[in-house]
Structure formats: C-alpha cells, structure tokens
Amino acid sequence: MRKKRKTDLRVIKTKQKLANTLLEMMTSESIDNIKISSLCTHAGVSRATFYNNFNVIYDVLNYHFENTKNELFNTYMNLFSREHILFEDATKYIAQQVLDYLFINKDVITSIFKSNYSPRLNDMMSSFFKKSIIEFMEHYPEEFGINDPTIKDLLVSFVAGGCSYLLVCFFTSGAHLEKEKVMMTTIDIMNKVFSLAKEKFLA
C-alpha cells in the first residue's frame, strides 16, 4: 500500500508539472503550436512519461481544468458533507472561490487568452462550467426543480456558455472591474436565468 501511494503521488506530481509548464508556455504561444517534445523538454519529463499519463496536449489542459474545479469545490464539499448549507450562502461561497482564483491568476490567464483563445478552448471552458453547475445542482434539487433531462441539459449548457463568455470578456476587455461587483452581477444573472426557466418550464 505504501509503495502504491508513493507511486500515485509521483504520478500526480508529474501531471501537475506538465500542466503548470503548459500554462506557462501558453502565456506566450498558442497551445496548437506547442509540441509534446517541447513541453516535455521544458517540464523535464520524458515523452514516454507523457504518454503514460496523457494522449495529446489538450488532455493536459483538460486535466488542469478538472483539477482546478476539484480544488475550488473541495472545501465546500467537505462542509456540505457535515452540514446543510443554505443555497444562497453556497452560491456566494462558490462564486467567491472562483473569483478569488481568477483575480489571483489574472495576469497569467489574460496572457493565455491573448495567445490561445479559440473555439476549442471555449468548448473546454464551457464543459468546465457545465460540470461544475451540474454538481452544484445535484445538492440543491429543490431550488432548481427541473427534472426533464433535455431541458436541464439545455439550461445548464446555456448558463455554462454564458459563464465562459463572461470570463473571456473579463480577461480581454482591459477594463478595471471590482471583484465584489463581478461576483454579485454573476450570481444575479444566474439566479434570474434559473428562475425564468422554472417559471416557463414548470408552469
């Protein structure tokens, strides 16, 4: 068991090293121009090790998105497992966690967007938000009350696409935005969208 745990930690560190190196490289060049051999050289990892963990470059970026989502939600999930958190408090908490991460890493993320924004990256961001929203909805079914899978999928996709677009605008507009104002505006928009959907589809 100890040997397996040591191996698992080594794999995690290798994946994180590749992900961090990729993000650093993406601040100055498009991900589509980054070769696996170049990424491995910069990360100090062999190509064999890369292929033991990933298939293509975009898998590394997807790993970063998934890992980031898990980190942002981890504290909330631990709290939720011990006590029921009010929907309004949970919404503010998660929005705060996400915005804290975005503001802390704003310079790096802005550079990445300037060098890399593409339909494929946008799809990955939308998928990231979609998974996060679905996980959140599962904890508050009474607040959303939408059971039809088709309608639910369309609604979540719409909100996720909106979040992705807001993120792009935030990092490419160059405007100075206050974190608290961004958070409250985002929460207000999401609440209005879900409330309108409930009125239309559950009436």
Side-chain angles (χ1 to χ4, degrees):
M1 179 65 71
R2 184 177 299 175
K3 184 176 181 181
K4 185 179 187 301
R5 177 176 173 77
K6 185 176 181 180
T7 301
D8 290 343
L9 290 174
R10 188 180 298 124
V11 169
I12 291 173
K13 287 182 178 180
T14 298
K15 288 183 175 182
Q16 289 176 338
K17 180 185 290 187
L18 284 166
N20 292 337
T21 302
L22 177 61
L23 291 176
E24 184 178 340
M25 294 177 72
M26 286 174 65
T27 61
S28 58
E29 59 183 312
S30 170
I31 186 175
D32 293 321
N33 294 330
I34 298 175
K35 306 296 183 183
I36 290 177
S37 57
S38 179
L39 173 61
C40 290
T41 298
H42 281 78
V45 173
S46 69
R47 285 171 60 89
T49 299
F50 177 91
Y51 285 113
N52 282 337
N53 296 283
F54 302 107
N55 293 315
V56 296
I57 287 282
Y58 273 95
D59 288 344
V60 183
L61 186 59
N62 192 58
Y63 169 80
H64 171 72
F65 278 136
E66 190 66 24
N67 207 38
T68 299
K69 176 178 71 67
N70 291 337
E71 288 181 3
L72 292 174
F73 275 70
N74 188 48
T75 304
Y76 163 72
M77 294 304 291
N78 287 336
L79 287 172
F80 190 90
S81 65
R82 295 195 301 269
E83 58 183 284
H84 181 73
I85 304 173
L86 293 177
F87 175 72
E88 292 77 9
D89 294 335
T91 304
K92 290 180 181 179
Y93 174 80
I94 292 177
Q96 185 70 57
Q97 290 291 100
V98 172
L99 288 173
D100 282 346
Y101 170 82
L102 295 177
F103 272 81
I104 290 172
N105 298 280
K106 183 178 180 181
D107 292 341
V108 173
I109 298 174
T110 299
S111 297
I112 289 174
F113 273 126
K114 287 181 178 179
S115 301
N116 291 272
Y117 188 68
S118 66
R120 186 168 183 178
L121 180 59
N122 184 64
D123 287 343
M124 291 185 72
M125 289 192 300
S126 294
S127 178
F128 165 80
F129 283 116
K130 187 173 181 178
K131 290 178 181 177
S132 301
I133 294 169
I134 289 174
E135 287 184 20
F136 185 61
M137 289 177 72
E138 288 175 350
H139 289 290
Y140 295 95
E142 72 282 358
E143 294 291 341
F144 296 99
I146 300 173
N147 298 316
D148 187 299
T150 300
I151 294 175
K152 184 177 180 180
D153 184 66
L154 287 172
L155 179 60
V156 172
S157 296
F158 176 77
V159 175
C163 289
S164 180
Y165 179 74
L166 285 174
L167 189 62
V168 173
C169 291
F170 172 65
F171 285 108
T172 59
S173 66
H176 174 72
L177 299 173
E178 296 179 6
K179 183 167 59 176
E180 188 69 22
K181 187 174 182 179
V182 173
M183 181 181 75
M184 297 311 298
T185 301
T186 303
I187 292 174
D188 185 52
I189 291 174
M190 290 182 65
N191 287 338
K192 286 180 178 177
V193 169
F194 280 111
S195 294
L196 180 62
K198 287 172 68 175
E199 290 177 10
K200 293 294 183 181
F201 297 123
L202 300 180

